[in-house]
mmCIF file of all heavy atoms in Angstrom:
data_model
loop_
_atom_site.group_PDB
_atom_site.id
_atom_site.type_symbol
_atom_site.label_atom_id
_atom_site.label_comp_id
_atom_site.label_asym_id
_atom_site.label_seq_id
_atom_site.Cartn_x
_atom_site.Cartn_y
_atom_site.Cartn_z
ATOM 1 N N GLU I 202 0.812 -1.215 0.000
ATOM 2 C CA GLU I 202 0.000 0.000 0.000
ATOM 3 C C GLU I 202 0.848 1.269 0.000
ATOM 4 O O GLU I 202 0.312 2.362 -0.166
ATOM 5 C CB GLU I 202 -0.981 -0.053 1.172
ATOM 6 C CG GLU I 202 -2.003 -1.155 0.924
ATOM 7 C CD GLU I 202 -2.959 -1.400 2.078
ATOM 8 O OE1 GLU I 202 -2.518 -1.882 3.127
ATOM 9 O OE2 GLU I 202 -4.157 -1.109 1.903
ATOM 10 N N MET I 203 2.179 1.100 0.133
ATOM 11 C CA MET I 203 3.074 2.229 -0.100
ATOM 12 C C MET I 203 3.396 2.376 -1.592
ATOM 13 O O MET I 203 4.159 3.257 -1.982
ATOM 14 C CB MET I 203 4.371 2.060 0.695
ATOM 15 C CG MET I 203 4.192 2.178 2.196
ATOM 16 S SD MET I 203 5.751 2.188 3.118
ATOM 17 C CE MET I 203 6.180 0.445 3.078
ATOM 18 N N PHE I 204 2.796 1.524 -2.430
ATOM 19 C CA PHE I 204 3.000 1.565 -3.876
ATOM 20 C C PHE I 204 1.706 1.822 -4.635
ATOM 21 O O PHE I 204 1.742 2.160 -5.813
ATOM 22 C CB PHE I 204 3.611 0.250 -4.366
ATOM 23 C CG PHE I 204 4.969 -0.043 -3.795
ATOM 24 C CD1 PHE I 204 5.100 -0.625 -2.540
ATOM 25 C CD2 PHE I 204 6.120 0.265 -4.497
ATOM 26 C CE1 PHE I 204 6.363 -0.895 -2.004
ATOM 27 C CE2 PHE I 204 7.378 0.003 -3.976
ATOM 28 C CZ PHE I 204 7.501 -0.575 -2.726
ATOM 29 N N PHE I 205 0.532 1.656 -3.958
ATOM 30 C CA PHE I 205 -0.756 1.844 -4.621
ATOM 31 C C PHE I 205 -1.003 3.324 -4.862
ATOM 32 O O PHE I 205 -0.949 4.138 -3.926
ATOM 33 C CB PHE I 205 -1.907 1.308 -3.750
ATOM 34 C CG PHE I 205 -1.943 -0.180 -3.610
ATOM 35 C CD1 PHE I 205 -2.647 -0.766 -2.582
ATOM 36 C CD2 PHE I 205 -1.298 -1.003 -4.510
ATOM 37 C CE1 PHE I 205 -2.706 -2.141 -2.437
ATOM 38 C CE2 PHE I 205 -1.336 -2.384 -4.379
ATOM 39 C CZ PHE I 205 -2.052 -2.950 -3.340
ATOM 40 N N GLY I 206 -1.333 3.668 -6.099
ATOM 41 C CA GLY I 206 -1.661 5.070 -6.397
ATOM 42 C C GLY I 206 -3.125 5.350 -6.190
ATOM 43 O O GLY I 206 -3.877 5.530 -7.161
ATOM 44 N N ALA I 207 -3.580 5.387 -4.954
ATOM 45 C CA ALA I 207 -4.993 5.609 -4.647
ATOM 46 C C ALA I 207 -5.348 7.091 -4.780
ATOM 47 O O ALA I 207 -4.482 7.958 -4.876
ATOM 48 C CB ALA I 207 -5.297 5.128 -3.234
ATOM 49 N N ASN I 208 -6.641 7.344 -4.800
ATOM 50 C CA ASN I 208 -7.173 8.713 -4.806
ATOM 51 C C ASN I 208 -6.645 9.540 -5.971
ATOM 52 O O ASN I 208 -6.327 10.730 -5.833
ATOM 53 C CB ASN I 208 -6.845 9.409 -3.480
ATOM 54 C CG ASN I 208 -7.332 8.645 -2.272
ATOM 55 O OD1 ASN I 208 -8.459 8.131 -2.269
ATOM 56 N ND2 ASN I 208 -6.500 8.507 -1.254
ATOM 57 N N GLY I 209 -6.560 8.903 -7.132
ATOM 58 C CA GLY I 209 -6.136 9.619 -8.323
ATOM 59 C C GLY I 209 -4.646 9.721 -8.527
ATOM 60 O O GLY I 209 -4.195 10.248 -9.560
ATOM 61 N N ASN I 210 -3.854 9.250 -7.573
ATOM 62 C CA ASN I 210 -2.394 9.288 -7.728
ATOM 63 C C ASN I 210 -1.927 8.112 -8.578
ATOM 64 O O ASN I 210 -2.482 7.018 -8.490
ATOM 65 C CB ASN I 210 -1.707 9.207 -6.359
ATOM 66 C CG ASN I 210 -1.960 10.428 -5.520
ATOM 67 O OD1 ASN I 210 -1.739 11.549 -5.955
ATOM 68 N ND2 ASN I 210 -2.442 10.218 -4.293
ATOM 69 N N PRO I 211 -0.889 8.305 -9.400
ATOM 70 C CA PRO I 211 -0.330 7.158 -10.117
ATOM 71 C C PRO I 211 0.364 6.220 -9.144
ATOM 72 O O PRO I 211 0.751 6.620 -8.040
ATOM 73 C CB PRO I 211 0.680 7.801 -11.079
ATOM 74 C CG PRO I 211 1.082 9.078 -10.411
ATOM 75 C CD PRO I 211 -0.150 9.561 -9.670
ATOM 76 N N ASP I 212 0.514 4.955 -9.539
ATOM 77 C CA ASP I 212 1.268 4.023 -8.715
ATOM 78 C C ASP I 212 2.688 4.539 -8.525
ATOM 79 O O ASP I 212 3.239 5.260 -9.365
ATOM 80 C CB ASP I 212 1.312 2.636 -9.367
ATOM 81 C CG ASP I 212 -0.036 1.925 -9.326
ATOM 82 O OD1 ASP I 212 -0.851 2.234 -8.442
ATOM 83 O OD2 ASP I 212 -0.266 1.052 -10.196
ATOM 84 N N TRP I 213 3.283 4.158 -7.402
ATOM 85 C CA TRP I 213 4.656 4.584 -7.088
ATOM 86 C C TRP I 213 5.630 4.161 -8.187
ATOM 87 O O TRP I 213 6.497 4.918 -8.594
ATOM 88 C CB TRP I 213 5.057 4.002 -5.746
ATOM 89 C CG TRP I 213 6.336 4.483 -5.146
ATOM 90 C CD1 TRP I 213 7.410 3.719 -4.802
ATOM 91 C CD2 TRP I 213 6.672 5.833 -4.758
ATOM 92 N NE1 TRP I 213 8.396 4.498 -4.244
ATOM 93 C CE2 TRP I 213 7.969 5.799 -4.191
ATOM 94 C CE3 TRP I 213 5.993 7.048 -4.836
ATOM 95 C CZ2 TRP I 213 8.606 6.941 -3.716
ATOM 96 C CZ3 TRP I 213 6.632 8.191 -4.361
ATOM 97 C CH2 TRP I 213 7.927 8.133 -3.811
ATOM 98 N N ASN I 214 5.474 2.918 -8.673
ATOM 99 C CA ASN I 214 6.227 2.417 -9.818
ATOM 100 C C ASN I 214 5.237 2.009 -10.904
ATOM 101 O O ASN I 214 4.121 1.591 -10.608
ATOM 102 C CB ASN I 214 7.096 1.221 -9.435
ATOM 103 C CG ASN I 214 8.148 1.566 -8.395
ATOM 104 O OD1 ASN I 214 8.707 2.654 -8.417
ATOM 105 N ND2 ASN I 214 8.408 0.650 -7.482
ATOM 106 N N ASN I 215 5.641 2.108 -12.153
ATOM 107 C CA ASN I 215 4.773 1.832 -13.282
ATOM 108 C C ASN I 215 4.664 0.333 -13.505
ATOM 109 O O ASN I 215 5.586 -0.296 -14.036
ATOM 110 C CB ASN I 215 5.323 2.537 -14.540
ATOM 111 C CG ASN I 215 4.454 2.285 -15.764
ATOM 112 O OD1 ASN I 215 3.393 1.669 -15.686
ATOM 113 N ND2 ASN I 215 4.899 2.762 -16.909
ATOM 114 N N LEU I 216 3.533 -0.240 -13.127
ATOM 115 C CA LEU I 216 3.372 -1.692 -13.231
ATOM 116 C C LEU I 216 3.228 -2.179 -14.670
ATOM 117 O O LEU I 216 3.365 -3.377 -14.929
ATOM 118 C CB LEU I 216 2.180 -2.146 -12.395
ATOM 119 C CG LEU I 216 2.327 -1.972 -10.878
ATOM 120 C CD1 LEU I 216 1.128 -2.564 -10.155
ATOM 121 C CD2 LEU I 216 3.608 -2.604 -10.375
ATOM 122 N N ASP I 217 2.943 -1.271 -15.602
ATOM 123 C CA ASP I 217 2.946 -1.687 -16.998
ATOM 124 C C ASP I 217 4.362 -2.010 -17.477
ATOM 125 O O ASP I 217 4.536 -2.641 -18.523
ATOM 126 C CB ASP I 217 2.339 -0.588 -17.881
ATOM 127 C CG ASP I 217 0.834 -0.432 -17.642
ATOM 128 O OD1 ASP I 217 0.190 -1.430 -17.246
ATOM 129 O OD2 ASP I 217 0.310 0.674 -17.858
ATOM 130 N N GLN I 218 5.353 -1.582 -16.717
ATOM 131 C CA GLN I 218 6.760 -1.890 -17.002
ATOM 132 C C GLN I 218 7.366 -2.732 -15.877
ATOM 133 O O GLN I 218 8.576 -2.688 -15.638
ATOM 134 C CB GLN I 218 7.566 -0.590 -17.163
ATOM 135 C CG GLN I 218 7.078 0.314 -18.274
ATOM 136 C CD GLN I 218 7.316 -0.278 -19.649
ATOM 137 O OE1 GLN I 218 8.243 -1.062 -19.844
ATOM 138 N NE2 GLN I 218 6.460 0.067 -20.605
ATOM 139 N N ALA I 219 6.520 -3.523 -15.214
ATOM 140 C CA ALA I 219 6.973 -4.230 -14.015
ATOM 141 C C ALA I 219 8.031 -5.280 -14.303
ATOM 142 O O ALA I 219 8.757 -5.690 -13.392
ATOM 143 C CB ALA I 219 5.775 -4.884 -13.308
ATOM 144 N N LEU I 220 8.132 -5.752 -15.548
ATOM 145 C CA LEU I 220 9.146 -6.754 -15.860
ATOM 146 C C LEU I 220 10.552 -6.170 -15.893
ATOM 147 O O LEU I 220 11.523 -6.919 -16.013
ATOM 148 C CB LEU I 220 8.825 -7.432 -17.200
ATOM 149 C CG LEU I 220 7.711 -8.482 -17.139
ATOM 150 C CD1 LEU I 220 7.279 -8.901 -18.537
ATOM 151 C CD2 LEU I 220 8.148 -9.696 -16.338
ATOM 152 N N ILE I 221 10.662 -4.861 -15.792
ATOM 153 C CA ILE I 221 11.976 -4.219 -15.687
ATOM 154 C C ILE I 221 12.246 -3.942 -14.211
ATOM 155 O O ILE I 221 11.522 -3.160 -13.589
ATOM 156 C CB ILE I 221 12.026 -2.895 -16.473
ATOM 157 C CG1 ILE I 221 11.652 -3.118 -17.931
ATOM 158 C CG2 ILE I 221 13.403 -2.260 -16.352
ATOM 159 C CD1 ILE I 221 11.517 -1.831 -18.732
ATOM 160 N N PRO I 222 13.267 -4.550 -13.615
ATOM 161 C CA PRO I 222 13.606 -4.253 -12.204
ATOM 162 C C PRO I 222 14.350 -2.921 -12.125
ATOM 163 O O PRO I 222 15.570 -2.861 -12.090
ATOM 164 C CB PRO I 222 14.481 -5.443 -11.807
ATOM 165 C CG PRO I 222 15.117 -5.890 -13.082
ATOM 166 C CD PRO I 222 14.132 -5.601 -14.182
ATOM 167 N N ILE I 223 13.587 -1.848 -12.065
ATOM 168 C CA ILE I 223 14.164 -0.514 -12.270
ATOM 169 C C ILE I 223 15.143 -0.115 -11.166
ATOM 170 O O ILE I 223 16.121 0.588 -11.431
ATOM 171 C CB ILE I 223 13.049 0.549 -12.428
ATOM 172 C CG1 ILE I 223 12.081 0.520 -11.241
ATOM 173 C CG2 ILE I 223 12.294 0.326 -13.722
ATOM 174 C CD1 ILE I 223 10.998 1.587 -11.313
ATOM 175 N N ALA I 224 14.903 -0.557 -9.939
ATOM 176 C CA ALA I 224 15.858 -0.231 -8.870
ATOM 177 C C ALA I 224 17.190 -0.937 -9.105
ATOM 178 O O ALA I 224 18.261 -0.361 -8.891
ATOM 179 C CB ALA I 224 15.285 -0.610 -7.507
ATOM 180 N N ASP I 225 17.120 -2.198 -9.553
ATOM 181 C CA ASP I 225 18.350 -2.933 -9.841
ATOM 182 C C ASP I 225 19.113 -2.293 -10.997
ATOM 183 O O ASP I 225 20.344 -2.202 -10.978
ATOM 184 C CB ASP I 225 18.029 -4.379 -10.206
ATOM 185 C CG ASP I 225 17.387 -5.160 -9.070
ATOM 186 O OD1 ASP I 225 17.310 -4.615 -7.956
ATOM 187 O OD2 ASP I 225 16.966 -6.305 -9.310
#
C-alpha cells in the first residue's frame, strides 16, 4: 500500500513496465 496510487495518484512504480527491475 506504499506503492498503490490511490485517490487519483499514479502508482509509485509503473506496473505496466513491471518486468523491468528498475531499482536494480
Side-chain angles (χ1 to χ4, degrees):
E202 292 174 292
M203 291 187 283
F204 298 83
F205 291 161
N208 305 317
N210 293 307
D212 289 335
W213 189 238
N214 298 323
N215 180 5
L216 294 185
D217 291 332
Q218 301 292 332
L220 283 169
I221 304 173
I223 55 177
D225 296 353

